Amino acid sequence: MRFIHCSDVHVTGDYFALPLRRLGWRRWLAMVELTVGRRARAYRHAPATLARIAQEAHAHAADHLILSGDITAYALESEFQGAREALGEWAQDRRRCTVIPGNHDVFTPGGHRSRRFERYFGHLLESDLPEHCREGAFPFVRLVGEGAAVVGLLSARVPFMPGIAHGWVGPAQLEGLAAVVKDPRLEGRALLVVVHHAPLTPRGRTDHVFHGLRDAEALCRLLPGPRYAVLHGHIHHRYHHEATAGRPHLFGAGSSTLEGHEGYWVIDVAAGQVMGGQMHTPGQHSRADLPLGRHA
């Protein structure tokens, strides 16, 4: 079976066309990053690049497309709409697509309260095993064919203020995930667990306190060995840490639409195991299989 994994696509609206009052103070601060930090320019082609990834997923004969959060720049309605349109038919069918929110998608309390993410992608959160849900829709389980399952977790929380970008899964979801792992209906299936925040950095270290996944160790402890993989984003580097006896495969998809660093993973599953992956650049020939643990 084959999975496409992308992340942090950051579809970016036209912030200068909107009244400042409508943007709110959090996005006023973000305007510095969009302009001085040149973030708006770096993601100006994000919708087209995401659409290209979705198109190439067909060429790869993918069974499922996964987007592990940060769909938007700062959670504008138009950004969610643009991402949904770019994904096209993939986003219409939960059997073929998984999308979870990242911290940029819950950037404002108002956007979170209005369930803006759910209006565009909520249909993809419906679980095939709803008895394991513990925090709203999470963790949800998607059965994919006969040999795999995708499990979605929520780690993105409304930040106290811009610049605070850490996340956590929390004990309720971890308890639900533990029940998923033990569920006899999933025996013989590889489990691909999707979370936004990275359990480890490209160098294999814990991320810093204001950016990392606070309960990363507890998450990885539940998923030992090559049957399991954690697919994440948040860190804008593309890398893979091979599974060990005490930890799953870790696939970081980087920022799939960042100009000059575009890319995504093609991950293969066979015989109930995660076999590894290849990094691809949209519109270019694929890279050869990389040695495990390399990052770009």
Side-chain angles (χ1 to χ4, degrees), residues 57-282:
H58 290 292
H60 290 299
D63 297 282
H64 204 84
L65 187 152
I66 294 169
L67 202 171
S68 54
D70 278 1
I71 303 154
T72 66
Y74 300 107
L76 285 180
E77 186 95 25
S78 62
E79 294 170 345
F80 283 109
Q81 182 177 354
R84 175 67 188 271
E85 291 173 355
L87 285 169
E89 63 182 30
W90 286 99
Q92 297 173 14
D93 188 353
R94 66 185 180 88
R95 295 170 300 177
R96 303 195 67 206
C97 186
T98 293
V99 181
I100 63 166
N103 56 293
H104 279 255
D105 306 318
V106 294
F107 191 73
T108 65
H112 179 61
R113 284 194 302 268
S114 67
R115 298 176 62 83
R116 196 164 291 160
F117 173 88
E118 285 82 0
R119 289 210 301 272
Y120 290 91
F121 297 102
H123 61 291
L124 300 180
L125 304 182
E126 184 180 343
S127 181
D128 292 333
L129 302 176
E131 61 271 29
H132 296 313
C133 299
R134 296 294 188 275
E135 184 180 348
F138 300 93
F140 63 82
V141 179
R142 184 80 62 251
L143 303 178
V144 184
E146 298 295 328
V150 175
V151 182
L153 297 175
L154 175 68
S155 65
R157 313 292 174 168
V158 178
F160 174 71
M161 64 178 298
I164 306 297
H166 62 272
W168 62 91
V169 175
Q173 287 186 69
L174 289 174
E175 190 274 332
L177 178 61
V180 169
V181 169
K182 295 175 183 177
D183 194 315
R185 292 169 293 182
L186 299 178
E187 186 176 350
R189 292 178 182 264
L191 264 61
L192 285 71
V193 177
V194 187
V195 67
H196 178 64
H197 289 77
L200 295 175
T201 68
R203 295 188 176 186
R205 300 172 182 169
T206 302
D207 204 353
H208 66 79
V209 66
F210 295 120
H211 196 260
L213 180 64
R214 284 167 41 178
D215 41 14
E217 184 178 351
L219 171 63
C220 290
R221 197 183 305 125
L222 292 173
L223 307 168
R227 179 191 173 198
Y228 306 102
V230 170
L231 280 54
H232 66 83
H234 198 53
I235 295 176
H236 288 186
H237 294 275
R238 204 160 292 112
Y239 57 98
H240 172 214
H241 294 303
E242 186 177 6
T244 67
R247 187 190 70 207
H249 290 283
L250 302 176
F251 287 95
S255 179
S256 295
T257 60
L258 177 61
E259 191 168 41
H261 300 276
E262 300 91 338
Y264 58 94
W265 281 104
V266 177
I267 299 170
D268 288 323
V269 168
Q273 305 281 307
V274 179
M275 307 304 294
Q278 291 182 334
M279 287 194 287
H280 289 252
T281 300

